[in-house]
């Protein structure tokens, strides 16, 4: 059936003997699919509506995702101070000494970036301090190993160290004397100096003549006691003379 015939048939069905433009347009319009919902005029309208719905849903999902992330971040950083410089140091740490401390500055920035609370920040410092202190000798226990006159021996070693060693070497000597072995070592040096068996107390070999070296060979320290430092001095003295 042609579009014109369909228009005439539609007019007759309405009891009219004439055909209108509307009848022609309706007759020429494509047949409506049975599956198309009534609210859509054409499949194209349905496709357009579906595309718009997808866009709205996608936008809504992004908003939901953003909201969830913001909530998670807010919960993760709950308790964190406003800046890395707002963390409070434990009472055991001197604030003046910590101003230029690179390790403390790094820990403050690390704690802030990871959302650590004041409690977590302080726990980290206390754990580090405990680990460091665990490597330190027990001063009281070391003193007991020196016997009843431990305090007198420690004080004597301190006086000797400040008198004998240069200022720049004192920090190392003080660390050595934190153990009873270090005190004993200093006492051994003192005794060696008293007996004249300390290498630093002898005449430099470069200034010793061959005659003096032979006299040194008659010294009991050379042929009887076999003092290693004394023997070394004689040997090096001859080497310098003959090489010179």
């Amino acid at each position: 059936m042609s579009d014109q015939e369909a228009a005439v048939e539609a007019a007759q069905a309405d009891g009219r003997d004439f055909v209108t433009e509307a009848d022609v347009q309706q007759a020429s319009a494509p047949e409506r699919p049975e599956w198309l919902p009534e609210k859509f005029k054409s499949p194209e309208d349905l496709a357009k509506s579906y595309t718009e719905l997808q866009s709205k849903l996608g936008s809504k999902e992004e908003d939901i995702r953003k909201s969830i992330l913001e909530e998670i971040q807010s919960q993760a950083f709950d308790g964190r101070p406003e800046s890395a410089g707002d963390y409070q140091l434990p009472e055991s740490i001197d604030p003046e000494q910590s101003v230029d401390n690179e390790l403390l500055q790094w820990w403050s920035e690390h704690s802030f970036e990871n959302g650590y609370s004041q409690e977590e920040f302080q726990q980290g410092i206390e754990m580090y301090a405990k680990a460091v202190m665990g490597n330190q000798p027990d001063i009281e226990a070391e003193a007991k190993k020196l016997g009843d006159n431990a305090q007198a021996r420690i004080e004597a070693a301190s006086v000797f160290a400040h008198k004998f060693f240069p200022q720049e070497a004192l920090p190392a000597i003080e660390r050595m004397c934190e153990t009873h072995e270090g005190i004993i070592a200093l006492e051994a040096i003192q005794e060696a100096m008293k007996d004249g068996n300390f290498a630093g107390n002898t005449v430099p070999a470069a200034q010793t003549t061959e005659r003096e070296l032979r006299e040194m060979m008659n010294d009991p320290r050379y042929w009887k006691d076999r003092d290693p430092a004394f023997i070394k001095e004689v040997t090096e003295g001859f080497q310098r003379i003959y090489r010179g």
Side-chain angles (χ1 to χ4, degrees):
M1 180 184 297
S2 66
D3 293 342
Q4 184 64 32
E5 291 174 340
V8 172
E9 184 176 318
Q12 291 176 348
D14 290 339
R16 292 180 285 109
D17 57 359
F18 60 89
V19 177
T20 65
E21 184 67 26
D23 294 332
V24 176
Q25 291 180 352
Q26 185 176 357
S28 60
E31 185 176 356
R32 181 185 182 86
E34 295 181 358
W35 51 263
L36 185 64
E38 292 294 332
K39 63 179 181 179
F40 298 108
K41 295 181 179 179
S42 65
E44 290 75 13
D45 287 343
L46 175 61
K48 181 180 178 182
S49 177
Y50 179 75
T51 301
E52 292 176 349
L53 178 61
Q54 275 189 318
S55 177
K56 291 180 179 179
L57 289 175
S59 177
K60 189 173 182 180
E61 289 178 358
E62 182 64 28
D63 292 340
I64 293 174
R65 187 182 298 107
K66 184 178 179 181
S67 176
I68 292 175
L69 289 175
E70 289 177 351
E71 184 177 354
I72 292 174
Q73 187 176 26
S74 176
Q75 293 177 353
F77 291 168
D78 184 34
R80 184 184 75 170
E82 294 184 2
S83 69
D86 290 330
Y87 284 111
Q88 301 297 314
L89 296 172
E91 295 181 357
S92 58
I93 296 181
D94 186 352
E96 294 183 1
Q97 295 181 355
S98 65
V99 172
D100 298 324
N101 190 301
E102 294 182 358
L103 180 60
L104 278 176
Q105 290 179 358
W106 171 85
W107 177 241
S108 298
E109 294 172 359
H110 176 81
S111 299
F112 183 78
E113 291 174 358
N114 288 274
Y116 293 173
S117 65
Q118 169 63 37
E119 182 179 358
E120 292 171 317
F121 170 78
Q122 187 164 327
Q123 284 178 348
I125 294 179
E126 291 173 349
M127 289 177 64
Y128 173 77
K130 186 181 295 184
V132 172
M133 291 303 295
N135 295 326
Q136 299 296 321
D138 187 335
I139 302 299
E140 292 185 5
E142 294 296 321
K144 289 181 179 180
K145 294 177 183 179
L146 293 173
D148 296 335
N149 61 338
Q151 191 59 39
R153 293 175 67 179
I154 293 173
E155 292 177 358
S158 177
V159 171
F160 169 73
H162 282 78
K163 182 179 180 181
F164 183 77
F165 293 100
Q167 190 68 30
E168 57 270 20
L170 288 179
I173 299 300
E174 289 175 356
R175 288 194 296 273
M176 182 183 76
C177 291
E178 290 177 351
T179 64
H180 72 284
E181 293 97 335
I183 298 295
I184 294 175
L186 274 187
E187 291 175 341
I189 294 174
Q190 286 180 282
E191 289 300 319
M193 292 181 67
K194 290 178 183 179
D195 295 339
N197 294 333
F198 194 69
N201 210 31
T202 59
V203 179
Q207 300 178 6
T208 306
T209 65
E210 183 176 355
R211 179 180 176 181
E212 290 170 334
L213 289 172
R214 294 191 180 280
E215 290 177 354
M216 292 173 67
M217 292 175 66
N218 293 325
D219 191 302
R221 287 177 291 174
Y222 183 86
W223 61 271
K224 181 179 180 181
D225 300 333
R226 305 301 295 171
D227 186 322
F230 195 80
I231 294 174
K232 181 180 179 183
E233 181 185 357
V234 175
T235 302
E236 292 179 350
F238 277 112
Q239 289 176 345
R240 287 191 179 90
I241 291 174
Y242 291 123
R243 288 177 182 174

